[in-house]
C-alpha cells in the first residue's frame, strides 16, 4: 500500500490502477503470477482482471472482526459476492491473513473458490502451543 507500513485495506484500483499496471506487466514478463490484495468488492475484482492480474486476495479484517457478532452472516455475504465475481471474471481467489482456526471453517464454507489463505502464519504460530496431530486434526475438521 502506498505510504503504509501494514495493510488496513485492499488496493483501491480505481485510484491506483494506472500506477500499478506497468508493474503488473513487468512482473508477468518475467513469468511471475500477479495477485492483487483488494477489498471484497466485485468492481475492484473486475478492475484487477482488466489490469491483467491472475488472482485477487481478499482483505479479511472485516470478516474476522464480525465473526463473533450477529453481523457475521451479512459480512460473509460480501465475501461470497466477491468470490462469485472472481469466478465470473475468471480470476483465482485467495483469502487474507485475518483468518484463523476459529473463523476459517465458516469462511470457507460460505465463500466459494478460495484456493489459498494467508492464515498459514497463524497455523505456524499455533504450532508453538499445539502439537502437530492436534493441529492437523483441527484443520481436517474445517
Amino acid at each position: 500500500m502506498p505510504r503504509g507500513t501494514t495493510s488496513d485495506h485492499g488496493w483501491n484500483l480505481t485510484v491506483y490502477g494506472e500506477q500499478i499496471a506497468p508493474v503488473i506487466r513487468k512482473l508477468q514478463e518475467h513469468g511471475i503470477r500477479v495477485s492483487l490484495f483488494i477489498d471484497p468488492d466485485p468492481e475492484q475484482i473486475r478492475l484487477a482482471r482488466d489490469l491483467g492480474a491472475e488472482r485477487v486476495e481478499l482483505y479479511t479484517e472485516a470478516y474476522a472482526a464480525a465473526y463473533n457478532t450477529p453481523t457475521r452472516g451479512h459480512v460473509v455475504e460480501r465475501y461470497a459476492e466477491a468470490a462469485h465475481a472472481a469466478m465470473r471474471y475468471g480470476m483465482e481467489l485467495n483469502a487474507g491473513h485475518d483468518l484463523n482456526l476459529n473463523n476459517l471453517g465458516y469462511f470457507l464454507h460460505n465463500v466459494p473458490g478460495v484456493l489459498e489463505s494467508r492464515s498459514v502464519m497463524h497455523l505456524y504460530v499455533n504450532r508453538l502451543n499445539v502439537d502437530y496431530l492436534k493441529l492437523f486434526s483441527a484443520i481436517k475438521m474445517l
Side-chain angles (χ1 to χ4, degrees):
M1 301 292 136
R3 293 182 225 72
T5 56
T6 187
S7 58
D8 63 357
H9 61 281
W11 279 99
N12 181 334
L13 299 178
T14 304
V15 174
Y16 295 106
E18 284 185 35
Q19 186 178 347
I20 65 173
V23 176
I24 292 171
R25 285 191 298 275
K26 191 71 163 172
L27 291 168
Q28 290 171 331
E29 286 172 9
H30 293 284
I32 299 170
R33 179 185 71 186
V34 174
S35 178
L36 296 178
F37 187 63
I38 61 172
D39 292 327
D41 176 352
E43 176 62 11
Q44 293 295 311
I45 294 170
R46 184 190 64 76
L47 292 170
R49 182 215 48 201
D50 292 351
L51 289 168
E54 294 91 359
R55 220 176 248 229
V56 291
E57 178 173 332
L58 300 178
Y59 178 60
T60 54
E61 182 183 20
Y63 166 75
Y67 180 71
N68 287 317
T69 73
T71 64
R72 171 176 69 176
H74 174 71
V75 172
V76 82
E77 284 177 17
R78 288 181 39 226
Y79 290 89
E81 289 171 13
H84 288 292
M87 288 186 263
R88 271 194 316 276
Y89 296 131
M91 308 271 314
E92 295 178 330
L93 182 66
N94 290 352
H97 55 269
D98 295 295
L99 303 176
N100 58 46
L101 284 176
N102 295 323
N103 63 23
L104 180 61
Y106 184 83
F107 189 88
L108 295 176
H109 180 74
N110 288 282
V111 180
V114 175
L115 299 176
E116 297 177 20
S117 172
R118 299 298 166 214
S119 61
V120 171
M121 284 308 296
H122 173 78
L123 298 178
Y124 285 132
V125 171
N126 197 358
R127 168 55 191 104
L128 298 174
N129 298 316
V130 180
D131 70 55
Y132 282 118
L133 293 177
K134 288 180 184 175
L135 177 61
F136 291 135
S137 294
I139 293 169
K140 286 171 77 175
M141 292 174 61
L142 297 177

